[in-house]
Amino acid sequence: MSNVKTNFTKRVLSGVQPTGGLHLGNYLGAIKNFVPLQEKYESLFCVVDLHAITTWQDPGDLTQKKCEVAAAFIASGIDPNRSIIFNQSSVPEHTQLSWVLNCVARMGWLNRMTQFKDKAGKNKEKVSVGLFSYPVLMAADILIYKATHVPVGEDQKQHLELARDIVLKFNNDFKKEFFPLPEPIILKKAARIMSLRDATKKMSKSDTSEFSRISLMDSNDEIDKKIKKAKTDALPIPSSIELLESMPEAKNLITIYSACEDEDFEISFDKYREKNFSELKVDLTEVLINKIGPIRDEMKKLISDKKYLLGILNNGSEKAKNIASHVLKEVYDVTGLN
Ligand code: TYM
């Protein structure tokens, strides 16, 4: 947590989309890092269903997918009695603030968002307006709680920068230090977990190949098969980290190993320098099964009790709303809407 001086109470917020199939990247890059933060700071963890519907979601599946994210939070160690676990659309203040922020953000800023360009591809004219203004809603998620710290994977960094630009312009336009400048917390160790089939691409839910990712719901057998099939180089693991830079698949597997083991990358690399990939893969499979296995088992247990999970989300939404409604009132006051 940075020591940037701020007059604002330190508060943590992050979000995960209920688009199904949470994977190792979501866990190592984000969810795992939420857990220690809740020990020290008031923390809110949001199931961002409004972000999910920026691309088509089957209405019949959405509740189940929301429960899956809530289950992943709890199974990973987020304590619902300590942190606020809630659902984005249950707190309408997010969308109300989002509209105000849409009027602060500039088209040029959004036009620069690389994630939009990647997702829209050649289809720019046909994707939803929501997909384009998605980062503004994300800024609203953070600012409706005046959150100061946002733990995310590296792919969200540009969105956080946009949120900061929105804060600077809002505070300047209304001549107040109204919103805090939110700080991203991006842990270097697992900032970007890459695909197991092509380590130039990030591990992602939308990759068509199941073998590109380890899902949090994978059985031990599936983990074993996927690691066996993970792309590697013909040469053994090199003798130095500099040489490893040109071997993205090898680097990715050692990154995953070090993040699961909570040890420095250099230490993990040292164990496998000049060894064959088969040795690394055997150990990595074991480490993954030890890490993901208990989370998967707990998630399965929780998912079978939908009533419990929906209760947690409803209770969290009440608490979140308590904070959000105050901030929205203040926003309406300073902008003259009240
Ligand atoms: P989402 O749902 O795509 O991903 C959830 C979290 O997982 C991280 N992540 C990764 N980290 C490392 N390696 C990967 N391969 C990888 N893939 C995903 C993401 O960085 C993210 O932290 N826009 C956000 C959700 C959001 C949000 C927010 C986050 C909405 N509002 C407010 C923070 C604050 C998203 O789509 O995450």
Side-chain angles (χ1 to χ4, degrees):
M1 197 78 139
S2 87
N3 291 321
V4 174
K5 277 235 156 53
T6 167
N7 294 325
F8 295 91
T9 312
K10 284 186 181 165
R11 187 178 278 153
V12 168
L13 177 128
S14 197
V16 175
Q17 294 193 57
T19 37
L22 290 181
H23 55 72
L24 193 63
N26 299 128
Y27 175 69
L28 294 177
I31 302 172
K32 179 170 179 272
N33 310 321
F34 300 169
V35 179
L37 290 170
Q38 68 174 348
E39 312 279 327
K40 280 185 154 173
Y41 307 102
E42 183 183 10
S43 301
L44 298 106
F45 300 112
C46 184
V47 183
V48 289
D49 55 350
L50 295 169
H51 279 103
I53 63 162
T54 56
T55 56
W56 169 252
Q57 301 299 320
D58 188 333
D61 291 344
L62 206 49
T63 304
Q64 179 65 20
K65 287 178 177 167
K66 289 185 213 182
C67 286
E68 209 178 294
V69 176
F73 284 163
I74 299 167
S76 302
I78 296 167
D79 176 358
N81 294 317
R82 178 171 263 175
S83 300
I84 301 177
I85 297 176
F86 72 108
N87 181 48
Q88 186 185 31
S89 67
S90 310
V91 186
E93 284 82 356
H94 288 235
T95 34
Q96 288 173 285
L97 177 60
S98 178
W99 183 259
V100 176
L101 300 185
N102 266 321
C103 300
V104 174
R106 305 288 96 179
M107 287 292 288
W109 302 353
L110 285 164
N111 274 328
R112 285 196 287 274
M113 294 294 115
T114 54
Q115 188 161 305
F116 175 75
K117 288 183 201 164
D118 290 347
K119 285 201 173 165
K122 293 194 187 105
N123 248 344
K124 224 168 137 190
E125 297 298 317
K126 293 204 173 133
V127 294
S128 72
V129 176
L131 192 67
F132 182 70
S133 62
Y134 172 119
V136 180
L137 178 59
M138 183 164 157
D141 298 337
I142 299 164
L143 299 176
I144 196 67
Y145 304 101
K146 295 193 175 177
T148 52
H149 291 82
V150 185
V152 280
E154 200 177 60
D155 61 332
Q156 298 302 315
K157 193 171 171 199
Q158 196 186 29
H159 292 160
L160 258 291
E161 278 158 11
L162 180 95
R164 291 167 65 89
D165 286 341
I166 290 175
V167 166
L168 290 174
K169 180 155 164 54
F170 185 99
N171 287 354
N172 185 59
D173 287 355
F174 297 100
K175 313 275 176 262
K176 275 199 160 59
E177 202 200 345
F178 185 82
F179 286 123
L181 259 185
E183 288 276 331
I185 304 181
I186 300 173
L187 292 192
K188 251 181 77 195
K189 198 171 281 165
R192 190 176 273 267
I193 300 297
M194 310 309 276
S195 154
L196 300 177
R197 303 300 299 151
D198 172 2
T200 59
K201 294 195 298 193
K202 71 170 182 178
M203 187 177 283
S204 137
K205 292 173 195 166
S206 54
D207 197 311
T208 49
S209 167
E210 275 293 326
F211 280 91
S212 68
R213 60 185 163 262
I214 304 278
S215 153
L216 292 187
M217 296 299 266
D218 278 347
S219 66
N220 292 353
D221 250 16
E222 283 167 319
I223 295 175
D224 182 46
K225 274 197 199 117
K226 287 179 179 182
I227 295 300
K228 277 205 179 105
K229 266 200 134 192
K231 193 176 161 202
T232 45
D233 305 75
L235 298 168
I237 295 164
S239 56
S240 74
I241 291 190
E242 290 69 45
L243 290 169
L244 192 68
E245 287 306 324
S246 59
M247 298 171 79
E249 276 80 23
K251 187 176 171 198
N252 190 39
L253 293 183
I254 300 176
T255 300
I256 295 174
Y257 179 96
S258 80
C260 286
E261 284 290 82
D262 276 319
E263 70 184 15
D264 287 345
F265 181 83
E266 291 73 15
I267 295 178
S268 301
F269 173 74
D270 240 15
K271 290 184 186 165
Y272 296 102
R273 72 165 75 224
E274 294 177 308
K275 296 210 167 130
N276 284 327
F277 278 102
S278 53
E279 214 167 311
L280 168 63
K281 282 186 168 186
V282 168
D283 292 356
L284 178 58
T285 302
E286 191 186 324
V287 157
L288 277 169
I289 289 175
N290 286 339
K291 195 81 194 173
I292 301 302
I295 294 174
R296 172 199 61 220
D297 295 345
E298 186 60 22
M299 272 179 79
K300 280 194 174 155
K301 228 190 279 164
L302 290 162
I303 288 169
S304 69
D305 194 350
K306 210 156 136 188
K307 205 169 147 216
Y308 168 75
L309 291 174
L310 291 175
I312 297 282
L313 287 172
N314 286 339
N315 187 26
S317 299
E318 291 280 310
K319 291 187 198 159
K321 208 174 159 41
N322 260 337
I323 309 173
S325 58
H326 279 109
V327 176
L328 188 72
K329 185 184 174 303
E330 285 177 9
V331 170
Y332 277 22
D333 284 344
V334 294
T335 52
L337 292 166
N338 257 348

